[in-house]
């Protein structure tokens, strides 16, 4: 079974809408912002680097990212090396507990920052929700700065899909022992890769 087939099974078995549908609210707002000149076209993308990025994703987000990489023929040694190097460089597998069941959220440069080319290799229909919702607040951003997440629209999206997404994460835990906890992008992708597709790892 490949990731695309597994993803179809998850969608069917738990009644989950497809990736593009569940990101539509966020992507439509992003495109509306772009029409107003609130775009990232001239920015270096600091929000994707260790200066501002600490993105964590769910299991279903990770599976959708893996299916996208598979579709683009990017499940290769270079991608795996980038994931492993990111974990090592930013010590993402070394957890610092700051409370009961609570851990320090580390910053890191996303392994898909400028990979395989300019922009994000995952594409808007498969990017983490938080990445799509993070947009400039004024035109002409070149080094980031005046940008922020729209928490209201993220909450609106969550109300529509959170229950079925939780079922999808539970499905992946029960079938493949994939942790239901949110993790940094490279941690979660490698876990999915190892546990679902070990013969290709």
């Amino acid at each position: 079974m490949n990731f695309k087939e597994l993803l179809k099974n998850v969608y069917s078995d738990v009644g989950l809408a497809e990736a593009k549908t569940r990101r539509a609210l966020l992507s439509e707002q992003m495109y509306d912002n772009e029409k107003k000149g609130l775009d990232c076209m001239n920015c270096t993308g600091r929000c994707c680097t260790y200066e501002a990025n600490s993105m964590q994703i769910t299991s279903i987000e990770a599976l959708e990212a893996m299916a996208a990489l598979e579709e683009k023929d990017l499940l290769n040694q270079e991608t795996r090396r980038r994931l492993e190097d990111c974990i090592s460089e930013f010590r993402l597998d070394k957890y610092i507990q700051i409370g009961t069941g609570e851990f320090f959220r580390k910053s890191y440069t996303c392994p898909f920052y400028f990979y395989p080319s300019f922009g994000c290799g995952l594409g808007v229909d498969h990017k983490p929700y938080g990445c799509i919702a993070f947009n400039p607040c004024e035109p002409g951003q070149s080094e980031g700065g005046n940008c922020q997440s729209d928490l209201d629209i993220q909450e609106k999206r969550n109300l529509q899909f959170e229950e079925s997404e939780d079922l999808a994460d539970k499905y992946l835990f029960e079938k493949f022992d994939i942790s239901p906890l949110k993790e940094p992008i490279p941690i979660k992708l490698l876990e999915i890769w190892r546990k679902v597709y070990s013969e290709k790892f």
Side-chain angles (χ1 to χ4, degrees), residues 134-153:
F134 192 80
N135 291 288
C137 299
E138 63 181 47
Q141 295 294 308
S142 60
E143 296 292 334
N146 192 9
C147 308
Q148 66 180 20
S149 291
D150 188 324
L151 300 180
D152 289 339
I153 199 166

Side-chain angles (χ1 to χ4, degrees), residues 148-160:
Q148 66 180 20
S149 291
D150 188 324
L151 300 180
D152 289 339
I153 199 166
Q154 288 191 77
E155 180 62 23
K156 187 176 180 181
R157 193 213 71 84
N158 287 346
L159 287 172
Q160 288 184 7

Side-chain angles (χ1 to χ4, degrees), residues 83-94:
L83 296 175
E84 292 171 341
D85 287 352
C86 180
I87 292 169
S88 176
E89 179 180 358
F90 297 101
R91 297 173 60 83
L92 297 178
D93 55 346
K94 310 298 181 187

